[in-house]
Amino acid sequence: MSKSQEVFVSTESADDSHEDAVPLHKADNALLKKLGYKSEFKREFSLLETVSFSLAIMAVSCGITTGYDYPLLAGGHFAMVWGWSIPCVFVLCIAASMAELASAMPTSAGLYYFAAKMASEEHSALASWITGWSNITGQVTLVCSIDYTCAELITTGIAMITDGAIVLGPGPTFGILLAIFFIQAILCSAGTRVLARMTVVIMLIIMGTTIAAIVSLLVCSRGNGVTPKDAFTKFENNTGWTNNVWAFILAFTSPMWSLTGYDSAAHIAEETAGAARAAPIAIMAGVIGTEVLGLIYYIAASFATASVPDIIQTKLALPMGQVFLNVLGKKGALALWWSIGFLQFLCGCSQVVDASRVVFAFSRDNALPGSRWWKQINRRTRTPVNAVWFVMLLSALCGLLSLSAAAFDSLASASVIGLYISYVYPTLMRITSGKDKLVPGPFNLGRWSRPCGAIAVAWTAFMLVMLMFPYTQTANAQTINYAFVIIVAVFLFASLSWIFSARHWFTGPIPNIDGPKRPESSSYEEKQDTMEQYTGE
């Protein structure tokens, strides 16, 4: 056996006997087997760590600190509060629908597995193909957008330290971005236990930085901020769009981008103990926690923003940095700023882990070019190391957009579009062709499943149109939203691949267990027996 063969084991050769020694893990693996897969990961994620993982990717303090300029331009104080609150209601419907599916089918294949099982037999493979490519597009661009804002946090911090004497441009920012990619790739190649423990640390930092930002902004801005009436109702349109309603709607970009990545709990299901319960709890807890803390943070930011026009004129890459300087002073601002910057780096690590699991799962079904490489598991770490580095390579290519003035707009929009298509497509199948196919897990919506799913699909359709638009009515080559280019390029490649090749051989999720493939009806009946171990019925 060659050295490379000693280091890596394919998905067909992994041994899961060590997991069956733990009763809960044995039940998890039995359920996974009913879904068509054998256990290949160590189940190191507890419920707390799974919830932490979901919260870590959304990292509310980072999402609002870096996404603050959206409501700032799209309505000022009014948009900060209500531009966050309104989308949160609809995102909760999307999360609930996803949690129901994750509870019933806890596998790393996640969304594209859900779509395949909920679609009709005739369209199962195509549903899986669409969902898988959408999710990977969103996952990779989300890695890039998170790390790009991490680079902006660094460049803004340098400008704050030097009182604006050093303002780094697109070139140095791209260099910092590449360095971040490289370091994260090394860290995310570690074993599952290290990654699981790291998520708890990230969650504690999230809570600490968010509470610190909220308290400091509210306390230190007293007497220098705005009145409660202005904080909740004052509207100022600085987008360049003449229609105020449309300008306000553009503020929805901030919560839609911040509230992404909660599908991560589904993607690490095969590394989670008690996944049928832990995954849906993590999805819902992550979304609700982020929504509540995010609203409080934006209310605090609204009170602390004494003058919207003055903040817009700042030379800092991220306007929230100017708010921190105005309210907290240089030392206080820098202390909080670098804490959030470090957290954003760790948030990026969590997203890399998530994205690599999606690539691994899709490659396990031979759906990606080079699948035989990306589905390999490292024997020492029991993680898909090749998939980690592949994600970083794709993210680096997307990072070339950092040379554009609208880099963050493009990356954020592309990630939301890709992810939310994959979020709701399985739900669309669930409430149409799959309305009678789902065997519910411990978490289920009951009679609310179809109404909740319909709301989720309608909201996402509306958001997909909005996110294609530039943030100003007078866009040029530097400020145009390139999300459309990214999405069309990927879907054109995926469509042509399907038409000329994949439709002849891609059948959707491929079981990797020994023996013949079970008929779909039989697998659902057998799965119910295993599910009873979770529900106690």
Side-chain angles (χ1 to χ4, degrees):
M1 182 179 291
S2 67
K3 185 175 180 180
S4 61
Q5 289 174 315
E6 291 174 356
V7 175
F8 293 104
V9 291
S10 70
T11 58
E12 289 80 6
S13 62
D15 178 19
D16 63 347
S17 60
H18 64 285
E19 288 291 324
D20 289 338
V22 181
L24 181 59
H25 294 181
K26 186 175 182 179
D28 285 324
N29 294 341
L31 176 56
L32 183 63
K33 187 175 182 180
K34 301 302 181 185
L35 297 175
Y37 298 111
K38 63 180 179 180
S39 175
E40 298 178 272
F41 297 99
K42 294 181 180 180
R43 293 188 180 273
E44 301 280 9
F45 280 85
S46 65
L47 173 60
L48 174 62
E49 289 160 346
T50 308
V51 172
S52 300
F53 190 74
S54 181
L55 285 167
I57 290 180
M58 287 185 279
V60 61
S61 57
C62 299
I64 292 179
T65 300
T66 55
Y68 165 76
D69 57 331
Y70 283 113
L72 182 72
L73 294 171
H77 301 281
F78 182 86
M80 291 179 204
V81 178
W82 304 110
W84 176 272
S85 303
I86 294 173
C88 284
V89 176
F90 298 99
V91 171
L92 198 57
C93 292
I94 299 170
S97 296
M98 182 192 298
E100 181 180 47
L101 294 171
S103 180
M105 297 171 279
T107 166
S108 293
L111 299 165
Y112 86 92
Y113 184 95
F114 305 160
K117 294 305 178 184
M118 293 298 99
S120 63
E121 184 175 351
E122 180 183 359
H123 299 105
S124 176
L126 179 59
S128 180
W129 186 262
I130 292 172
T131 305
W133 276 98
S134 298
N135 194 246
I136 287 178
T137 302
Q139 292 284 348
V140 171
T141 50
L142 185 58
V143 169
C144 191
S145 63
I146 290 172
D147 287 349
Y148 175 73
T149 54
C150 183
E152 284 198 314
L153 283 163
I154 294 173
T155 59
T156 300
I158 293 172
M160 292 164 68
I161 291 173
T162 61
D163 296 321
I166 300 178
V167 178
L168 299 178
T173 301
F174 180 63
I176 294 172
L177 178 62
L178 293 179
I180 292 171
F181 286 151
F182 182 74
I183 297 171
Q184 286 180 343
I186 294 175
L187 293 176
C188 294
S189 297
T192 303
R193 177 172 296 180
V194 175
L195 299 173
R197 303 302 180 267
M198 187 173 69
T199 61
V200 178
V201 176
I202 297 174
M203 183 184 70
L204 294 175
I205 298 175
I206 290 172
M207 299 302 294
T209 54
T210 305
I211 294 172
I214 292 170
V215 172
S216 58
L217 289 176
L218 287 175
V219 173
C220 297
S221 65
R222 292 184 64 182
N224 297 314
V226 298
T227 65
K229 180 180 179 181
D230 284 348
F232 285 90
T233 63
K234 189 175 181 179
F235 184 87
E236 299 174 73
N237 178 6
N238 290 285
T239 63
W241 289 93
T242 56
N243 187 299
N244 287 338
V245 174
W246 178 250
F248 170 67
I249 290 173
L250 291 175
F252 294 172
T253 305
S254 177
M256 293 303 294
W257 180 70
S258 295
L259 294 167
T260 51
Y262 47 88
D263 57 316
S264 58
H267 298 146
I268 60 169
E270 294 179 35
E271 300 169 73
T272 302
R277 289 188 184 276
I281 290 174
I283 290 171
M284 296 304 295
V287 170
I288 293 172
T290 299
E291 289 182 346
V292 172
L293 288 174
L295 176 59
I296 299 172
Y297 191 172
Y298 259 130
I299 290 173
S302 183
F303 273 100
T305 305
S307 171
V308 169
D310 288 348
I311 298 298
I312 291 175
Q313 296 302 316
T314 183
K315 294 182 179 180
L316 299 178
L318 295 173
M320 185 65 87
Q322 190 62 54
V323 176
F324 282 8
L325 286 174
N326 293 351
V327 175
L328 307 178
K330 186 174 180 178
K331 290 184 178 180
L334 286 172
L336 185 56
W337 192 261
W338 288 117
S339 297
I340 292 174
F342 177 63
L343 175 60
Q344 185 73 331
F345 173 81
L346 296 178
C347 170
C349 289
S350 297
Q351 177 55 32
V352 172
V353 172
D354 185 21
S356 66
R357 272 40 175 188
V358 176
V359 168
F360 162 80
F362 210 34
S363 297
R364 184 168 57 183
D365 295 327
N366 300 316
L368 288 177
S371 287
R372 68 190 184 95
W373 294 103
W374 320 134
K375 68 181 178 181
Q376 289 181 342
I377 299 293
N378 185 285
R379 177 169 291 174
R380 295 193 183 100
T381 65
R382 295 295 297 272
T383 56
V385 174
N386 285 2
V388 169
W389 286 90
F390 181 57
V391 167
M392 302 317 293
L393 174 61
L394 294 177
S395 298
L397 293 175
C398 291
L400 292 171
L401 280 174
S402 64
L403 302 176
S404 163
F408 181 61
D409 292 347
S410 303
L411 291 169
S413 295
S415 62
V416 174
I417 292 169
L419 287 173
Y420 272 85
I421 289 175
S422 67
Y423 288 0
V424 302
Y425 198 80
T427 299
L428 177 62
M429 297 296 100
R430 164 77 177 96
I431 63 177
T432 52
S433 59
K435 59 181 180 294
D436 299 319
K437 298 180 67 176
L438 185 70
V439 175
F443 178 91
N444 67 89
L445 299 175
R447 62 192 180 91
W448 295 103
S449 182
R450 295 191 72 184
C452 189
I455 293 171
V457 172
W459 172 257
T460 301
F462 172 61
M463 281 293 95
L464 295 183
V465 175
M466 184 276 286
L467 290 164
M468 292 289 188
F469 282 82
Y471 220 67
T472 176
Q473 196 166 359
T474 56
N476 53 41
Q478 278 293 309
T479 60
I480 194 172
N481 188 342
Y482 285 96
F484 179 79
V485 177
I486 298 173
I487 296 299
V488 168
V490 173
F491 274 80
L492 184 62
F493 175 81
S495 299
L496 292 176
S497 297
W498 174 262
I499 293 170
F500 293 106
S501 177
R503 66 189 179 94
H504 299 296
W505 53 264
F506 182 73
T507 58
I510 303 174
N512 66 355
I513 54 177
D514 297 331
K517 182 178 179 180
R518 295 176 174 84
E520 185 172 305
S521 59
S522 176
S523 67
Y524 276 108
E525 293 168 0
E526 293 175 353
K527 187 168 77 68
Q528 180 66 68
D529 296 335
T530 306
M531 188 63 71
E532 290 176 359
Q533 298 181 50
Y534 289 97
T535 60
E537 295 176 353

